[in-house]
């Protein structure tokens, strides 16, 4: 019997801070963090999650609403996408842009839906941003065959 593990990692970069977080595990998916480099940003991985408590909290809210679309996983599809949520000082979601598609509509939709479903966010601290906070969020979907 071949075992397939669906890997999903949520990677943030904003204002020089970066961290990685995985969504909660569910019986239908095994999830693990992966390391990545965002062009123009510092190399980072799961150990950087302590960068700032604000980013950890935002990531946790999004990860709680996000997962690997099982139909895409069963189809053997993988992909990365980059979105930019913009959070106002009061924690409202101003807008979210899909900056780079994964090429798999189900992945793109799952990530965008997770961000929309995670609002409202905590108010943005002054040390994080003086006005609206733009975050580069990479959503990475991988299948590990064992």
């Amino acid at each position: 019997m071949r075992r397939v593990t669906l890997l999903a990692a949520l990677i943030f970069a904003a204002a020089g801070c970066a961290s990685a977080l995985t969504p909660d595990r569910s019986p239908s998916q095994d999830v693990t963090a992966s390391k990545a480099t965002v062009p123009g940003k510092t190399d980072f991985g799961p150990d950087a999650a302590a960068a700032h408590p604000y980013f950890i909290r935002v990531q946790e809210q999004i990860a709680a609403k996000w997962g690997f679309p099982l139909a895409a996983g069963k189809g053997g599809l993988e992909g990365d996408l980059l979105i930019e949520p913009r959070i106002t000082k009061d924690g409202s979601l101003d807008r979210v842009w899909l900056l780079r598609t994964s090429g798999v509509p189900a992945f793109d939709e799952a990530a965008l839906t997770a961000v929309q479903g995670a609002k409202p966010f905590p108010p943005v601290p002054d040390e994080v941003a003086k006005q609206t906070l733009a975050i580069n969020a990479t959503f990475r979907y991988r299948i590990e065959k064992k």
Side-chain angles (χ1 to χ4, degrees):
M1 174 189 232
R2 186 177 80 169
R3 181 177 172 187
V4 175
T5 302
L6 305 179
L7 306 173
L10 170 57
I11 304 165
F12 268 24
C17 298
S19 60
L21 187 73
T22 58
D24 293 333
R25 291 175 187 254
S26 69
S28 58
Q29 63 186 22
D30 288 330
V31 186
T32 183
S34 63
K35 188 173 180 178
T37 303
V38 174
K41 301 288 181 186
T42 322
D43 189 25
F44 56 88
D47 294 337
H52 194 284
Y54 182 80
F55 292 104
I56 294 170
R57 185 149 176 221
V58 170
Q59 284 180 296
E60 288 173 345
Q61 282 183 233
I62 294 171
K65 302 291 184 184
W66 175 63
F68 201 117
L70 294 180
K74 288 179 181 178
L77 301 175
E78 297 181 322
D80 296 350
L81 64 109
L82 178 65
I83 63 172
E84 184 182 278
R86 291 185 172 238
I87 303 171
T88 62
K89 285 295 286 179
D90 70 357
S92 301
L93 184 63
D94 179 40
R95 59 183 68 175
V96 60
W97 283 291
L98 178 63
L99 299 178
R100 185 181 67 237
T101 181
S102 66
V104 180
F107 292 160
D108 297 349
E109 186 60 35
L112 292 167
T113 299
V115 172
Q116 290 286 344
K119 64 185 182 188
F121 297 102
V124 179
D126 286 338
E127 69 269 16
V128 171
K130 297 292 182 199
Q131 296 179 9
T132 300
L133 172 65
I135 299 173
N136 289 331
T138 299
F139 289 75
R140 172 164 288 171
Y141 297 89
R142 294 287 181 272
I143 298 173
E144 181 179 271
K145 298 172 185 161
K146 295 182 182 183

